[in-house]
Amino acid sequence: MYRSFCSIMDAEAFEWESQLRFYWLRKHDDLFVHQCSASFSYGYEYMGLNGRLVITPLTDRIYLTLTQ
C-alpha cells in the first residue's frame, strides 16, 4: 500500500497491481477500490483510527487477502 513506486515501469506489473488503489468513477458517480483482480464499490464504512495503523508487510498481505 505505501511501497515505493520508483521501479514500476508497466501498469500490468504485480508491484502496481497489488497496491490498494481508490478511483472515483464518474460513470457510476462513486468511489471504487482496486487491487489485483478485485474491484468493488468502497461503501464509505468507518475505518477507525487508520492514522495510527502501522503499515507493515503483514498489513499489506492482510489487505491483499481481504480484497481477493
Side-chain angles (χ1 to χ4, degrees):
M1 291 181 353
Y2 294 101
R3 290 180 233 141
S4 172
F5 296 114
C6 62
S7 65
I8 297 173
M9 303 299 287
D10 183 15
E12 301 294 319
F14 180 74
E15 282 297 315
W16 171 248
E17 286 288 321
S18 66
Q19 302 299 311
L20 188 64
R21 301 176 315 277
F22 297 86
Y23 294 97
W24 184 266
L25 299 181
R26 289 185 189 199
K27 179 180 177 182
H28 300 283
D29 195 29
D30 203 1
L31 187 67
F32 282 79
V33 177
H34 295 270
Q35 188 174 37
C36 291
S37 62
S39 178
F40 50 90
S41 179
Y42 175 59
Y44 304 95
E45 66 274 4
Y46 177 67
M47 297 296 285
L49 295 172
N50 61 359
R52 295 180 181 239
L53 177 65
V54 177
I55 304 301
T56 65
L58 177 61
T59 54
D60 272 347
R61 286 191 297 263
I62 290 170
Y63 276 111
L64 184 58
T65 301
L66 291 173
T67 60
Q68 296 303 302

Short mmCIF file of all heavy atoms in Angstrom, two decimals:
data_model
loop_
_atom_site.label_atom_id
_atom_site.label_comp_id
_atom_site.label_asym_id
_atom_site.label_seq_id
_atom_site.Cartn_x
_atom_site.Cartn_y
_atom_site.Cartn_z
N MET A 1 0.81 -1.19 0.00
CA MET A 1 0.00 0.00 0.00
C MET A 1 0.85 1.26 0.00
O MET A 1 0.56 2.16 -0.74
CB MET A 1 -0.93 0.00 1.18
CG MET A 1 -1.99 -1.04 1.06
SD MET A 1 -3.17 -1.12 2.39
CE MET A 1 -2.60 -0.01 3.58
N TYR A 2 1.89 1.33 0.81
CA TYR A 2 2.73 2.50 0.87
C TYR A 2 4.14 2.20 0.40
O TYR A 2 5.09 2.74 0.88
CB TYR A 2 2.76 3.06 2.30
CG TYR A 2 1.43 3.57 2.74
CD1 TYR A 2 0.62 2.83 3.57
CD2 TYR A 2 0.98 4.79 2.29
CE1 TYR A 2 -0.61 3.30 3.96
CE2 TYR A 2 -0.26 5.27 2.68
CZ TYR A 2 -1.04 4.53 3.52
OH TYR A 2 -2.26 4.98 3.91
N ARG A 3 4.26 1.29 -0.57
CA ARG A 3 5.58 0.94 -1.09
C ARG A 3 6.05 1.96 -2.11
O ARG A 3 5.26 2.68 -2.68
CB ARG A 3 5.51 -0.44 -1.73
CG ARG A 3 5.33 -1.54 -0.72
CD ARG A 3 5.28 -2.87 -1.42
NE ARG A 3 4.06 -3.49 -0.95
CZ ARG A 3 3.26 -4.20 -1.69
NH1 ARG A 3 3.50 -4.41 -2.93
NH2 ARG A 3 2.19 -4.73 -1.18
N SER A 4 7.33 1.95 -2.36
CA SER A 4 7.90 2.87 -3.34
C SER A 4 7.52 2.42 -4.75
O SER A 4 7.53 1.25 -5.07
CB SER A 4 9.42 2.87 -3.21
OG SER A 4 9.98 3.58 -4.26
N PHE A 5 7.18 3.39 -5.61
CA PHE A 5 6.78 3.10 -6.98
C PHE A 5 7.91 3.35 -7.98
O PHE A 5 7.70 3.29 -9.16
CB PHE A 5 5.59 3.97 -7.39
CG PHE A 5 4.35 3.69 -6.60
CD1 PHE A 5 3.85 4.63 -5.75
CD2 PHE A 5 3.71 2.49 -6.71
CE1 PHE A 5 2.70 4.39 -5.03
CE2 PHE A 5 2.57 2.23 -6.00
CZ PHE A 5 2.06 3.18 -5.15
N CYS A 6 9.11 3.65 -7.51
CA CYS A 6 10.16 4.12 -8.41
C CYS A 6 10.59 3.09 -9.45
O CYS A 6 11.04 3.45 -10.51
CB CYS A 6 11.36 4.60 -7.62
SG CYS A 6 12.13 3.33 -6.63
N SER A 7 10.42 1.79 -9.20
CA SER A 7 10.88 0.80 -10.17
C SER A 7 9.75 0.23 -11.03
O SER A 7 9.99 -0.65 -11.82
CB SER A 7 11.60 -0.34 -9.44
OG SER A 7 10.70 -1.02 -8.61
N ILE A 8 8.54 0.72 -10.90
CA ILE A 8 7.42 0.20 -11.67
C ILE A 8 7.39 0.89 -13.03
O ILE A 8 7.28 2.10 -13.12
CB ILE A 8 6.09 0.41 -10.92
CG1 ILE A 8 6.11 -0.37 -9.62
CG2 ILE A 8 4.92 0.00 -11.80
CD1 ILE A 8 4.96 -0.12 -8.73
N MET A 9 7.53 0.08 -14.08
CA MET A 9 7.58 0.62 -15.43
C MET A 9 6.36 0.25 -16.27
O MET A 9 6.19 0.76 -17.35
CB MET A 9 8.84 0.11 -16.15
CG MET A 9 10.14 0.44 -15.41
SD MET A 9 10.40 2.20 -15.21
CE MET A 9 10.83 2.64 -16.87
N ASP A 10 5.49 -0.64 -15.75
CA ASP A 10 4.37 -1.13 -16.53
C ASP A 10 3.13 -1.21 -15.64
O ASP A 10 3.21 -1.63 -14.48
CB ASP A 10 4.73 -2.53 -17.06
CG ASP A 10 3.66 -3.13 -17.94
OD1 ASP A 10 2.76 -2.39 -18.40
OD2 ASP A 10 3.72 -4.34 -18.19
N ALA A 11 1.98 -0.80 -16.15
CA ALA A 11 0.74 -0.83 -15.39
C ALA A 11 0.30 -2.25 -15.07
O ALA A 11 -0.54 -2.46 -14.19
CB ALA A 11 -0.36 -0.10 -16.14
N GLU A 12 0.84 -3.24 -15.77
CA GLU A 12 0.50 -4.64 -15.53
C GLU A 12 1.44 -5.31 -14.52
O GLU A 12 1.27 -6.47 -14.20
CB GLU A 12 0.53 -5.43 -16.84
CG GLU A 12 -0.41 -4.91 -17.90
CD GLU A 12 -1.88 -5.07 -17.51
OE1 GLU A 12 -2.23 -6.12 -16.97
OE2 GLU A 12 -2.64 -4.11 -17.74
N ALA A 13 2.43 -4.59 -14.02
CA ALA A 13 3.39 -5.15 -13.07
C ALA A 13 2.70 -5.48 -11.75
O ALA A 13 1.85 -4.72 -11.28
CB ALA A 13 4.53 -4.18 -12.84
N PHE A 14 3.08 -6.60 -11.15
CA PHE A 14 2.43 -7.02 -9.90
C PHE A 14 2.62 -6.00 -8.79
O PHE A 14 1.71 -5.78 -7.99
CB PHE A 14 2.94 -8.39 -9.45
CG PHE A 14 2.29 -8.85 -8.18
CD1 PHE A 14 0.98 -9.29 -8.18
CD2 PHE A 14 2.97 -8.81 -6.97
CE1 PHE A 14 0.36 -9.69 -7.01
CE2 PHE A 14 2.37 -9.21 -5.80
CZ PHE A 14 1.06 -9.66 -5.81
N GLU A 15 3.77 -5.35 -8.72
CA GLU A 15 4.00 -4.36 -7.66
C GLU A 15 2.96 -3.24 -7.75
O GLU A 15 2.56 -2.69 -6.73
CB GLU A 15 5.41 -3.79 -7.76
CG GLU A 15 6.46 -4.70 -7.20
CD GLU A 15 6.28 -4.96 -5.71
OE1 GLU A 15 6.03 -4.00 -4.94
OE2 GLU A 15 6.37 -6.13 -5.31
N TRP A 16 2.53 -2.88 -8.95
CA TRP A 16 1.48 -1.87 -9.10
C TRP A 16 0.11 -2.49 -8.87
O TRP A 16 -0.72 -1.93 -8.17
CB TRP A 16 1.55 -1.22 -10.48
CG TRP A 16 0.37 -0.33 -10.75
CD1 TRP A 16 -0.62 -0.54 -11.66
CD2 TRP A 16 0.04 0.88 -10.09
NE1 TRP A 16 -1.55 0.46 -11.61
CE2 TRP A 16 -1.16 1.36 -10.64
CE3 TRP A 16 0.63 1.62 -9.07
CZ2 TRP A 16 -1.76 2.54 -10.22
CZ3 TRP A 16 0.02 2.79 -8.65
CH2 TRP A 16 -1.16 3.24 -9.23
N GLU A 17 -0.14 -3.65 -9.45
CA GLU A 17 -1.44 -4.31 -9.31
C GLU A 17 -1.77 -4.63 -7.86
O GLU A 17 -2.92 -4.63 -7.47
CB GLU A 17 -1.46 -5.60 -10.13
CG GLU A 17 -1.57 -5.39 -11.62
CD GLU A 17 -2.93 -4.90 -12.05
OE1 GLU A 17 -3.93 -5.37 -11.49
OE2 GLU A 17 -2.98 -4.05 -12.93
N SER A 18 -0.75 -4.92 -7.04
CA SER A 18 -1.00 -5.31 -5.66
C SER A 18 -1.27 -4.11 -4.74
O SER A 18 -1.63 -4.30 -3.58
CB SER A 18 0.17 -6.13 -5.11
OG SER A 18 1.33 -5.34 -5.02
N GLN A 19 -1.12 -2.89 -5.25
CA GLN A 19 -1.40 -1.71 -4.44
C GLN A 19 -2.90 -1.55 -4.26
O GLN A 19 -3.68 -1.79 -5.18
CB GLN A 19 -0.85 -0.45 -5.13
CG GLN A 19 0.62 -0.48 -5.39
CD GLN A 19 1.43 -0.59 -4.12
OE1 GLN A 19 1.21 0.16 -3.18
NE2 GLN A 19 2.36 -1.51 -4.09
N LEU A 20 -3.31 -1.16 -3.07
CA LEU A 20 -4.72 -0.85 -2.80
C LEU A 20 -4.97 0.56 -3.32
O LEU A 20 -4.42 1.53 -2.81
CB LEU A 20 -4.99 -0.94 -1.31
CG LEU A 20 -6.44 -0.82 -0.86
CD1 LEU A 20 -7.25 -2.00 -1.42
CD2 LEU A 20 -6.53 -0.80 0.64
N ARG A 21 -5.77 0.68 -4.40
CA ARG A 21 -5.98 1.96 -5.07
C ARG A 21 -7.45 2.34 -5.01
O ARG A 21 -8.33 1.50 -5.08
CB ARG A 21 -5.51 1.87 -6.52
CG ARG A 21 -4.04 1.50 -6.64
CD ARG A 21 -3.59 1.33 -8.07
NE ARG A 21 -4.45 0.57 -8.94
CZ ARG A 21 -4.45 -0.77 -9.03
NH1 ARG A 21 -3.66 -1.48 -8.28
NH2 ARG A 21 -5.23 -1.38 -9.88
N PHE A 22 -7.70 3.63 -4.92
CA PHE A 22 -9.06 4.15 -4.87
C PHE A 22 -9.27 5.04 -6.09
O PHE A 22 -8.44 5.90 -6.40
CB PHE A 22 -9.27 4.96 -3.60
CG PHE A 22 -9.13 4.14 -2.35
CD1 PHE A 22 -7.90 3.93 -1.77
CD2 PHE A 22 -10.24 3.57 -1.77
CE1 PHE A 22 -7.77 3.17 -0.62
CE2 PHE A 22 -10.13 2.80 -0.62
CZ PHE A 22 -8.89 2.61 -0.05
N TYR A 23 -10.38 4.82 -6.80
CA TYR A 23 -10.70 5.59 -8.00
C TYR A 23 -12.13 6.11 -7.92
O TYR A 23 -13.04 5.37 -7.54
CB TYR A 23 -10.61 4.71 -9.26
CG TYR A 23 -9.24 4.21 -9.58
CD1 TYR A 23 -8.83 2.95 -9.19
CD2 TYR A 23 -8.35 5.00 -10.30
CE1 TYR A 23 -7.57 2.49 -9.50
CE2 TYR A 23 -7.08 4.55 -10.61
CZ TYR A 23 -6.70 3.29 -10.21
OH TYR A 23 -5.45 2.83 -10.50
N TRP A 24 -12.31 7.38 -8.27
CA TRP A 24 -13.65 7.94 -8.41
C TRP A 24 -14.06 7.76 -9.85
O TRP A 24 -13.41 8.27 -10.77
CB TRP A 24 -13.68 9.42 -8.04
CG TRP A 24 -15.06 9.96 -8.10
CD1 TRP A 24 -15.66 10.59 -9.15
CD2 TRP A 24 -16.03 9.87 -7.07
NE1 TRP A 24 -16.94 10.91 -8.84
CE2 TRP A 24 -17.21 10.48 -7.57
CE3 TRP A 24 -16.04 9.34 -5.79
CZ2 TRP A 24 -18.37 10.57 -6.81
CZ3 TRP A 24 -17.19 9.44 -5.04
CH2 TRP A 24 -18.34 10.05 -5.55
N LEU A 25 -15.12 6.99 -10.10
CA LEU A 25 -15.60 6.74 -11.46
C LEU A 25 -16.80 7.63 -11.73
O LEU A 25 -17.85 7.49 -11.10
CB LEU A 25 -15.96 5.27 -11.64
CG LEU A 25 -14.81 4.28 -11.43
CD1 LEU A 25 -15.29 2.85 -11.67
CD2 LEU A 25 -13.65 4.59 -12.35
N ARG A 26 -16.65 8.55 -12.67
CA ARG A 26 -17.73 9.49 -12.99
C ARG A 26 -18.96 8.77 -13.52
O ARG A 26 -20.08 9.19 -13.24
CB ARG A 26 -17.25 10.49 -14.02
CG ARG A 26 -16.28 11.47 -13.48
CD ARG A 26 -15.94 12.50 -14.52
NE ARG A 26 -14.83 13.30 -14.04
CZ ARG A 26 -14.53 14.48 -14.54
NH1 ARG A 26 -15.24 14.97 -15.53
NH2 ARG A 26 -13.51 15.14 -14.06
N LYS A 27 -18.75 7.71 -14.29
CA LYS A 27 -19.88 6.98 -14.87
C LYS A 27 -20.84 6.49 -13.79
O LYS A 27 -22.05 6.56 -13.93
CB LYS A 27 -19.36 5.81 -15.70
CG LYS A 27 -20.44 4.97 -16.33
CD LYS A 27 -19.84 3.84 -17.13
CE LYS A 27 -20.91 2.95 -17.70
NZ LYS A 27 -20.35 1.81 -18.43
N HIS A 28 -20.28 5.99 -12.68
CA HIS A 28 -21.08 5.47 -11.57
C HIS A 28 -21.28 6.50 -10.47
O HIS A 28 -22.06 6.29 -9.55
CB HIS A 28 -20.42 4.23 -10.96
CG HIS A 28 -20.24 3.12 -11.94
ND1 HIS A 28 -21.28 2.31 -12.33
CD2 HIS A 28 -19.15 2.69 -12.62
CE1 HIS A 28 -20.84 1.43 -13.21
NE2 HIS A 28 -19.55 1.63 -13.40
N ASP A 29 -20.55 7.63 -10.55
CA ASP A 29 -20.57 8.67 -9.53
C ASP A 29 -20.34 8.06 -8.14
O ASP A 29 -21.07 8.31 -7.20
CB ASP A 29 -21.88 9.45 -9.57
CG ASP A 29 -21.77 10.76 -8.79
OD1 ASP A 29 -20.66 11.31 -8.71
OD2 ASP A 29 -22.80 11.21 -8.26
N ASP A 30 -19.28 7.24 -8.06
CA ASP A 30 -18.99 6.52 -6.82
C ASP A 30 -17.50 6.22 -6.74
O ASP A 30 -16.79 6.25 -7.74
CB ASP A 30 -19.79 5.22 -6.77
CG ASP A 30 -19.99 4.71 -5.35
OD1 ASP A 30 -19.53 5.37 -4.40
OD2 ASP A 30 -20.61 3.65 -5.19
N LEU A 31 -17.04 5.90 -5.54
CA LEU A 31 -15.65 5.56 -5.29
C LEU A 31 -15.48 4.05 -5.34
O LEU A 31 -16.26 3.31 -4.74
CB LEU A 31 -15.22 6.09 -3.92
CG LEU A 31 -13.76 5.96 -3.55
CD1 LEU A 31 -12.91 6.86 -4.44
CD2 LEU A 31 -13.55 6.32 -2.09
N PHE A 32 -14.45 3.58 -6.06
CA PHE A 32 -14.19 2.15 -6.19
C PHE A 32 -12.80 1.82 -5.71
O PHE A 32 -11.88 2.62 -5.83
CB PHE A 32 -14.35 1.69 -7.64
CG PHE A 32 -15.78 1.53 -8.05
CD1 PHE A 32 -16.54 2.63 -8.39
CD2 PHE A 32 -16.38 0.28 -8.07
CE1 PHE A 32 -17.86 2.50 -8.74
CE2 PHE A 32 -17.70 0.13 -8.41
CZ PHE A 32 -18.45 1.25 -8.75
N VAL A 33 -12.65 0.62 -5.14
CA VAL A 33 -11.37 0.11 -4.66
C VAL A 33 -10.88 -0.92 -5.66
O VAL A 33 -11.65 -1.78 -6.09
CB VAL A 33 -11.54 -0.55 -3.27
CG1 VAL A 33 -10.23 -1.13 -2.79
CG2 VAL A 33 -12.09 0.45 -2.28
N HIS A 34 -9.61 -0.83 -6.05
CA HIS A 34 -8.99 -1.79 -6.98
C HIS A 34 -7.75 -2.37 -6.34
O HIS A 34 -6.94 -1.65 -5.76
CB HIS A 34 -8.57 -1.10 -8.28
CG HIS A 34 -9.70 -0.56 -9.07
ND1 HIS A 34 -10.35 -1.30 -10.03
CD2 HIS A 34 -10.31 0.63 -9.06
CE1 HIS A 34 -11.29 -0.57 -10.57
NE2 HIS A 34 -11.30 0.62 -9.98
N GLN A 35 -7.60 -3.67 -6.43
CA GLN A 35 -6.38 -4.35 -6.01
C GLN A 35 -6.33 -5.69 -6.73
O GLN A 35 -7.26 -6.48 -6.62
CB GLN A 35 -6.32 -4.56 -4.51
CG GLN A 35 -4.98 -5.09 -4.04
CD GLN A 35 -4.88 -5.15 -2.53
OE1 GLN A 35 -5.86 -5.45 -1.85
NE2 GLN A 35 -3.71 -4.87 -2.00
N CYS A 36 -5.26 -5.91 -7.48
CA CYS A 36 -5.09 -7.11 -8.33
C CYS A 36 -6.33 -7.30 -9.18
O CYS A 36 -6.69 -6.42 -9.93
CB CYS A 36 -4.75 -8.33 -7.49
SG CYS A 36 -3.11 -8.24 -6.77
N SER A 37 -7.03 -8.43 -9.06
CA SER A 37 -8.19 -8.69 -9.90
C SER A 37 -9.50 -8.22 -9.27
O SER A 37 -10.56 -8.36 -9.87
CB SER A 37 -8.28 -10.19 -10.20
OG SER A 37 -8.46 -10.90 -9.00
N ALA A 38 -9.45 -7.65 -8.07
CA ALA A 38 -10.67 -7.23 -7.37
C ALA A 38 -10.98 -5.76 -7.66
O ALA A 38 -10.10 -4.92 -7.75
CB ALA A 38 -10.51 -7.43 -5.87
N SER A 39 -12.26 -5.48 -7.81
CA SER A 39 -12.76 -4.12 -7.95
C SER A 39 -14.15 -4.07 -7.35
O SER A 39 -15.02 -4.86 -7.73
CB SER A 39 -12.80 -3.74 -9.43
OG SER A 39 -13.32 -2.45 -9.57
N PHE A 40 -14.35 -3.18 -6.38
CA PHE A 40 -15.67 -3.11 -5.75
C PHE A 40 -15.92 -1.70 -5.24
O PHE A 40 -15.00 -0.91 -5.05
CB PHE A 40 -15.81 -4.14 -4.63
CG PHE A 40 -14.68 -4.14 -3.64
CD1 PHE A 40 -14.70 -3.35 -2.52
CD2 PHE A 40 -13.59 -4.97 -3.86
CE1 PHE A 40 -13.66 -3.36 -1.62
CE2 PHE A 40 -12.54 -4.99 -2.96
CZ PHE A 40 -12.57 -4.18 -1.84
N SER A 41 -17.18 -1.41 -5.03
CA SER A 41 -17.59 -0.11 -4.52
C SER A 41 -17.08 0.06 -3.09
O SER A 41 -17.09 -0.87 -2.30
CB SER A 41 -19.12 -0.01 -4.54
OG SER A 41 -19.53 1.22 -4.02
N TYR A 42 -16.63 1.26 -2.76
CA TYR A 42 -15.99 1.50 -1.48
C TYR A 42 -16.94 1.29 -0.30
O TYR A 42 -16.61 0.60 0.63
CB TYR A 42 -15.39 2.90 -1.46
CG TYR A 42 -14.80 3.30 -0.14
CD1 TYR A 42 -13.77 2.57 0.43
CD2 TYR A 42 -15.27 4.42 0.53
CE1 TYR A 42 -13.22 2.94 1.63
CE2 TYR A 42 -14.71 4.79 1.73
CZ TYR A 42 -13.69 4.06 2.29
OH TYR A 42 -13.16 4.42 3.47
N GLY A 43 -18.10 1.86 -0.29
CA GLY A 43 -19.07 1.65 0.77
C GLY A 43 -19.01 2.67 1.89
O GLY A 43 -19.90 2.73 2.72
N TYR A 44 -17.94 3.47 1.97
CA TYR A 44 -17.81 4.55 2.93
C TYR A 44 -17.96 4.09 4.39
O TYR A 44 -18.49 4.80 5.23
CB TYR A 44 -18.82 5.66 2.63
CG TYR A 44 -18.68 6.16 1.22
CD1 TYR A 44 -19.48 5.65 0.20
CD2 TYR A 44 -17.72 7.09 0.90
CE1 TYR A 44 -19.33 6.09 -1.10
CE2 TYR A 44 -17.56 7.54 -0.40
CZ TYR A 44 -18.38 7.03 -1.39
OH TYR A 44 -18.23 7.46 -2.66
N GLU A 45 -17.44 2.90 4.69
CA GLU A 45 -17.50 2.40 6.06
C GLU A 45 -16.49 3.15 6.93
O GLU A 45 -15.50 3.67 6.45
CB GLU A 45 -17.23 0.89 6.12
CG GLU A 45 -15.83 0.49 5.73
CD GLU A 45 -15.66 0.29 4.23
OE1 GLU A 45 -16.60 0.53 3.48
OE2 GLU A 45 -14.56 -0.12 3.84
N TYR A 46 -16.76 3.18 8.23
CA TYR A 46 -15.87 3.84 9.17
C TYR A 46 -14.61 3.01 9.32
O TYR A 46 -14.67 1.82 9.60
CB TYR A 46 -16.57 4.00 10.52
CG TYR A 46 -15.68 4.60 11.58
CD1 TYR A 46 -15.25 5.91 11.47
CD2 TYR A 46 -15.28 3.86 12.68
CE1 TYR A 46 -14.43 6.48 12.43
CE2 TYR A 46 -14.47 4.42 13.65
CZ TYR A 46 -14.05 5.73 13.52
OH TYR A 46 -13.24 6.27 14.47
N MET A 47 -13.45 3.63 9.12
CA MET A 47 -12.18 2.90 9.15
C MET A 47 -11.46 3.00 10.49
O MET A 47 -10.38 2.49 10.65
CB MET A 47 -11.25 3.44 8.05
CG MET A 47 -11.78 3.23 6.65
SD MET A 47 -11.94 1.52 6.21
CE MET A 47 -10.24 1.10 5.95
N GLY A 48 -12.06 3.67 11.48
CA GLY A 48 -11.41 3.79 12.78
C GLY A 48 -10.26 4.77 12.73
O GLY A 48 -10.22 5.68 11.91
N LEU A 49 -9.29 4.60 13.58
CA LEU A 49 -8.13 5.48 13.64
C LEU A 49 -7.03 4.97 12.72
O LEU A 49 -5.98 4.53 13.17
CB LEU A 49 -7.62 5.58 15.08
CG LEU A 49 -8.58 6.24 16.07
CD1 LEU A 49 -8.07 6.12 17.47
CD2 LEU A 49 -8.82 7.68 15.69
N ASN A 50 -7.29 4.99 11.43
CA ASN A 50 -6.32 4.44 10.49
C ASN A 50 -5.01 5.22 10.47
O ASN A 50 -4.01 4.71 9.99
CB ASN A 50 -6.91 4.31 9.09
CG ASN A 50 -7.33 5.63 8.52
OD1 ASN A 50 -7.21 6.66 9.16
ND2 ASN A 50 -7.85 5.60 7.31
N GLY A 51 -4.97 6.43 11.00
CA GLY A 51 -3.73 7.17 11.09
C GLY A 51 -2.76 6.52 12.08
O GLY A 51 -1.56 6.74 12.01
N ARG A 52 -3.27 5.70 12.96
CA ARG A 52 -2.43 5.01 13.94
C ARG A 52 -2.04 3.61 13.50
O ARG A 52 -1.28 2.94 14.18
CB ARG A 52 -3.15 4.93 15.28
CG ARG A 52 -3.37 6.29 15.89
CD ARG A 52 -4.08 6.17 17.21
NE ARG A 52 -4.30 7.49 17.74
CZ ARG A 52 -3.83 7.90 18.90
NH1 ARG A 52 -3.13 7.10 19.64
NH2 ARG A 52 -4.08 9.11 19.31
N LEU A 53 -2.57 3.16 12.37
CA LEU A 53 -2.23 1.84 11.86
C LEU A 53 -0.82 1.87 11.27
O LEU A 53 -0.51 2.69 10.42
CB LEU A 53 -3.22 1.41 10.77
CG LEU A 53 -2.95 0.08 10.10
CD1 LEU A 53 -3.11 -1.07 11.10
CD2 LEU A 53 -3.90 -0.12 8.93
N VAL A 54 0.02 0.97 11.74
CA VAL A 54 1.39 0.88 11.22
C VAL A 54 1.36 -0.03 10.00
O VAL A 54 0.91 -1.17 10.07
CB VAL A 54 2.34 0.31 12.29
CG1 VAL A 54 3.73 0.14 11.72
CG2 VAL A 54 2.35 1.21 13.51
N ILE A 55 1.80 0.49 8.86
CA ILE A 55 1.81 -0.29 7.63
C ILE A 55 3.08 -1.13 7.60
O ILE A 55 4.20 -0.61 7.62
CB ILE A 55 1.76 0.62 6.39
CG1 ILE A 55 0.53 1.54 6.46
CG2 ILE A 55 1.77 -0.20 5.11
CD1 ILE A 55 -0.79 0.81 6.54
N THR A 56 2.89 -2.44 7.57
CA THR A 56 4.00 -3.39 7.54
C THR A 56 3.75 -4.38 6.40
O THR A 56 2.66 -4.38 5.82
CB THR A 56 4.07 -4.18 8.87
OG1 THR A 56 2.90 -4.98 8.99
CG2 THR A 56 4.19 -3.24 10.07
N PRO A 57 4.71 -5.24 6.08
CA PRO A 57 4.44 -6.28 5.09
C PRO A 57 3.25 -7.15 5.47
O PRO A 57 2.50 -7.60 4.61
CB PRO A 57 5.74 -7.08 5.06
CG PRO A 57 6.79 -6.09 5.43
CD PRO A 57 6.13 -5.21 6.46
N LEU A 58 3.02 -7.36 6.77
CA LEU A 58 1.88 -8.17 7.21
C LEU A 58 0.56 -7.46 6.91
O LEU A 58 -0.37 -8.07 6.39
CB LEU A 58 1.98 -8.48 8.70
CG LEU A 58 0.80 -9.27 9.29
CD1 LEU A 58 0.66 -10.62 8.60
CD2 LEU A 58 0.97 -9.44 10.79
N THR A 59 0.46 -6.16 7.20
CA THR A 59 -0.78 -5.45 6.90
C THR A 59 -1.01 -5.38 5.40
O THR A 59 -2.15 -5.43 4.94
CB THR A 59 -0.80 -4.04 7.52
OG1 THR A 59 0.34 -3.33 7.11
CG2 THR A 59 -0.86 -4.11 9.04
N ASP A 60 0.05 -5.27 4.61
CA ASP A 60 -0.09 -5.33 3.15
C ASP A 60 -0.72 -6.65 2.72
O ASP A 60 -1.63 -6.69 1.89
CB ASP A 60 1.25 -5.18 2.45
CG ASP A 60 1.62 -3.74 2.19
OD1 ASP A 60 0.74 -2.86 2.31
OD2 ASP A 60 2.78 -3.50 1.84
N ARG A 61 -0.23 -7.76 3.27
CA ARG A 61 -0.77 -9.08 2.92
C ARG A 61 -2.21 -9.24 3.40
O ARG A 61 -3.02 -9.87 2.71
CB ARG A 61 0.11 -10.18 3.52
CG ARG A 61 1.42 -10.34 2.79
CD ARG A 61 2.15 -11.60 3.22
NE ARG A 61 2.51 -11.59 4.62
CZ ARG A 61 3.69 -11.25 5.10
NH1 ARG A 61 4.64 -10.88 4.29
NH2 ARG A 61 3.92 -11.26 6.39
N ILE A 62 -2.56 -8.66 4.52
CA ILE A 62 -3.94 -8.74 5.02
C ILE A 62 -4.89 -8.04 4.07
O ILE A 62 -5.92 -8.58 3.70
CB ILE A 62 -4.02 -8.17 6.44
CG1 ILE A 62 -3.32 -9.12 7.42
CG2 ILE A 62 -5.48 -7.93 6.85
CD1 ILE A 62 -3.14 -8.55 8.81
N TYR A 63 -4.54 -6.80 3.66
CA TYR A 63 -5.38 -6.09 2.70
C TYR A 63 -5.52 -6.86 1.39
O TYR A 63 -6.60 -6.95 0.82
CB TYR A 63 -4.85 -4.68 2.42
CG TYR A 63 -5.27 -3.65 3.43
CD1 TYR A 63 -4.36 -3.10 4.31
CD2 TYR A 63 -6.59 -3.23 3.49
CE1 TYR A 63 -4.76 -2.13 5.24
CE2 TYR A 63 -7.00 -2.28 4.40
CZ TYR A 63 -6.08 -1.74 5.27
OH TYR A 63 -6.46 -0.80 6.18
N LEU A 64 -4.43 -7.43 0.91
CA LEU A 64 -4.47 -8.21 -0.33
C LEU A 64 -5.37 -9.42 -0.18
O LEU A 64 -6.18 -9.72 -1.05
CB LEU A 64 -3.05 -8.63 -0.72
CG LEU A 64 -2.90 -9.37 -2.05
CD1 LEU A 64 -3.43 -8.52 -3.20
CD2 LEU A 64 -1.47 -9.75 -2.29
N THR A 65 -5.27 -10.12 0.94
CA THR A 65 -6.11 -11.30 1.20
C THR A 65 -7.58 -10.91 1.29
O THR A 65 -8.44 -11.60 0.73
CB THR A 65 -5.67 -11.99 2.50
OG1 THR A 65 -4.30 -12.37 2.37
CG2 THR A 65 -6.51 -13.22 2.78
N LEU A 66 -7.90 -9.82 1.97
CA LEU A 66 -9.29 -9.41 2.13
C LEU A 66 -9.93 -9.01 0.82
O LEU A 66 -11.12 -9.23 0.62
CB LEU A 66 -9.38 -8.27 3.14
CG LEU A 66 -9.08 -8.64 4.59
CD1 LEU A 66 -9.04 -7.38 5.45
CD2 LEU A 66 -10.10 -9.62 5.13
N THR A 67 -9.18 -8.39 -0.08
CA THR A 67 -9.77 -7.98 -1.34
C THR A 67 -9.90 -9.12 -2.34
O THR A 67 -10.69 -9.06 -3.25
CB THR A 67 -8.97 -6.84 -2.00
OG1 THR A 67 -7.66 -7.28 -2.26
CG2 THR A 67 -8.96 -5.60 -1.14
N GLN A 68 -9.10 -10.15 -2.18
CA GLN A 68 -9.15 -11.25 -3.14
C GLN A 68 -10.10 -12.32 -2.69
O GLN A 68 -10.57 -13.12 -3.37
CB GLN A 68 -7.77 -11.85 -3.35
CG GLN A 68 -6.79 -10.88 -3.97
CD GLN A 68 -7.27 -10.33 -5.30
OE1 GLN A 68 -7.52 -11.08 -6.22
NE2 GLN A 68 -7.42 -9.03 -5.40
#
